[in-house]
Amino acid sequence: MINNQWYVILESKELKKHKPLRIKRFNEHLALWRGNNGEVCCIADSCCHRGVSLSCGKIVNGELECPFHGFVYDKTGKINLIPANGKLKPVPETMKVQSYKSHEAYGLIWLWYGEAEKATEKPFFFEELGDFSYSTFKDHWNVHYSRSIENQLDVVHLPFVHRTTIGSGKKTLVNGPVVVREGELITFYVNNIKDDGKTISLKPDEIVDYKQLFQLRFHFPNIWQNFISNKIRAFAAFVPVDDENSIVYIRYYQKMIRIPILRGLFNYIGKISSIVILRQDKRVVETQLPKKSEFKMNERLIMGDKPIIEYRKHRHELIEEGQ
Ligand code: FES
Ligand SMILES: [Fe+2]
């Protein structure tokens, strides 16, 4: 994991108003619930008294009550009441569990992973998507989230994995790709063409006017956007579960059709096509070994893998920075 980052971890609608939720993220079990004002609260899902799962408890006045002996936790992970000791007896400061800062916007929930005092005010999001409507598909992948990210940065796989969908036309020759990194945002420009047997693929610095090309964007640590057109985009969040598992949220965003019923239908069709494409990827990616990618590993990468190389390199820098 990269420390000191906001990670998308869930869609807003998955966390209901009156019911705590148990999830696994960052290799840890977490208890989430909504406080009195609907705010997202998140603490470690193991009671410091005797280890019970707190998410099996109930929400009382915006705080979480352990189902075993009724200890009450606030959103900072501190215990405010030990019923067996009585309301008058102060609770020792050491009675607490780990808590996480949260942020909620655009129908997504983020958690700050790292040192709480270093948390920035809010996470980065592709704000231009604010006036699009969307439909979401959630899928569990049996690989570390680094592998699910790299799959969406991979421009070499298109004519093979997606031969019947977005990769039709046998465009196997990869020019570039041009990769531009600005801070934690990576944009890459794709130009795949048919191989006539007489053309050598262009190096990234041989491509002029690359800004006219089809582009994809990735922002660390875990969101991605595909510029299908001015009015249609695909968005993905790659959520870290543990060393061998991740969750991919794919959203189909559009602002072509705004009439409610038609919009719903259009978004639904968009979602179905996203599912078909994503399943083509999943079938192959889940066979990759090891299940987690590293900066230095035993793979022989080629020029077309530049986005993946750039991702690994910068991820490695951020991991070192966060330590
Ligand atoms: S185990 Fe939670 S209160 Fe005892
Ligand atoms: Fe793919």
Side-chain angles (χ1 to χ4, degrees):
M1 297 294 309
I2 308 169
N3 275 329
N4 301 328
Q5 298 275 339
W6 285 107
Y7 287 81
V8 171
I9 57 125
L10 206 64
E11 269 216 311
S12 294
K13 64 178 185 212
E14 293 178 279
L15 184 59
K16 309 285 182 232
K17 189 123 197 274
H18 302 292
K19 202 173 174 322
L21 181 69
R22 175 178 168 87
I23 58 171
K24 192 178 187 192
R25 299 290 187 269
F26 320 129
N27 231 341
E28 290 160 31
H29 291 288
L30 306 174
L32 274 84
W33 75 98
R34 290 194 181 274
N36 281 339
N37 300 317
E39 75 276 21
V40 177
C41 308
C42 177
I43 62 176
D45 193 24
S46 179
C47 183
C48 67
H49 179 216
R50 298 207 20 233
V52 151
S53 167
L54 294 166
S55 54
C56 297
K58 64 177 185 210
I59 303 166
V60 181
N61 298 325
E63 300 191 325
L64 190 58
E65 184 189 278
C66 178
F68 210 177
H69 313 99
F71 291 21
V72 178
Y73 289 82
D74 68 17
K75 64 178 172 192
T76 69
K78 217 166 95 27
I79 294 176
N80 284 334
L81 173 68
I82 298 176
N85 289 350
K87 288 181 183 160
L88 276 184
K89 196 158 178 184
V91 177
E93 286 292 320
T94 51
M95 301 289 277
K96 61 177 183 197
V97 298
Q98 166 86 38
S99 68
Y100 295 83
K101 284 192 175 173
S102 67
H103 184 86
E104 186 170 23
Y106 304 102
L108 295 167
I109 295 172
W110 281 260
L111 289 185
W112 177 259
Y113 182 85
E115 297 149 85
E117 53 292 352
K118 289 197 177 161
T120 54
E121 193 201 333
K122 59 177 186 170
F124 170 90
F125 189 70
F126 304 112
E127 299 204 348
E128 66 273 20
L129 295 177
D131 67 336
F132 285 60
S133 69
Y134 63 84
S135 55
T136 311
F137 173 64
K138 174 186 179 183
D139 207 16
H140 175 264
W141 283 28
N142 177 221
V143 280
H144 185 254
Y145 84 112
S146 56
R147 288 295 198 188
S148 36
I149 288 173
E150 289 178 0
N151 170 60
Q152 300 297 340
L153 309 184
D154 184 330
V155 298
V156 182
H157 79 293
L158 294 165
F160 302 97
V161 173
H162 304 298
R163 198 176 53 242
T164 55
T165 54
I166 49 170
S168 64
K170 297 196 175 81
K171 294 181 183 168
T172 53
L173 198 78
V174 178
N175 284 325
V178 176
V179 180
V180 179
R181 190 172 69 74
E182 298 152 285
E184 301 193 0
L185 178 71
I186 303 181
T187 306
F188 48 108
Y189 300 88
V190 188
N191 180 221
N192 293 4
I193 55 168
K194 265 192 173 176
D195 188 357
D196 58 8
K198 300 173 201 149
T199 317
I200 291 179
S201 58
L202 297 172
K203 293 190 186 124
D205 57 8
E206 291 170 335
I207 302 178
V208 279
D209 280 351
Y210 63 84
K211 290 202 169 160
Q212 316 303 323
L213 300 175
F214 178 73
Q215 61 164 290
L216 296 151
R217 281 188 181 174
F218 174 76
H219 194 282
F220 281 90
N222 69 338
I223 60 171
W224 169 95
Q225 186 186 176
N226 178 348
F227 285 64
I228 299 169
S229 76
N230 277 344
K231 293 189 171 182
I232 301 181
R233 307 288 168 82
F235 163 88
F238 311 92
V239 175
V241 175
D242 60 27
D243 282 346
E244 301 207 337
N245 294 283
S246 52
I247 291 170
V248 182
Y249 289 90
I250 281 271
R251 279 182 175 179
Y252 175 80
Y253 275 92
Q254 65 89 16
K255 58 177 178 182
M256 270 166 48
I257 295 178
R258 295 181 188 267
I259 304 160
I261 294 179
L262 283 181
R263 185 179 63 200
L265 185 68
F266 194 70
N267 292 354
Y268 178 73
I269 294 167
K271 172 168 146 173
I272 298 298
S273 60
S274 309
I275 295 173
V276 172
I277 296 163
L278 200 67
R279 285 286 160 87
Q280 291 180 323
D281 288 312
K282 180 178 178 173
R283 192 175 55 85
V284 178
V285 173
E286 285 194 329
T287 68
Q288 279 187 291
L289 289 174
K291 290 197 172 282
K292 178 181 179 181
S293 81
E294 303 287 353
F295 176 50
K296 286 195 177 130
M297 62 192 300
N298 194 22
E299 288 185 355
R300 305 277 180 265
L301 302 183
I302 58 172
M303 188 178 74
D305 293 321
K306 195 150 188 279
I308 293 168
I309 297 167
E310 208 47 51
Y311 166 73
R312 288 184 185 174
K313 206 170 117 200
H314 193 53
R315 175 162 157 251
H316 177 70
E317 285 164 1
L318 290 173
I319 289 173
E320 302 249 289
E321 224 171 82
Q323 271 165 4

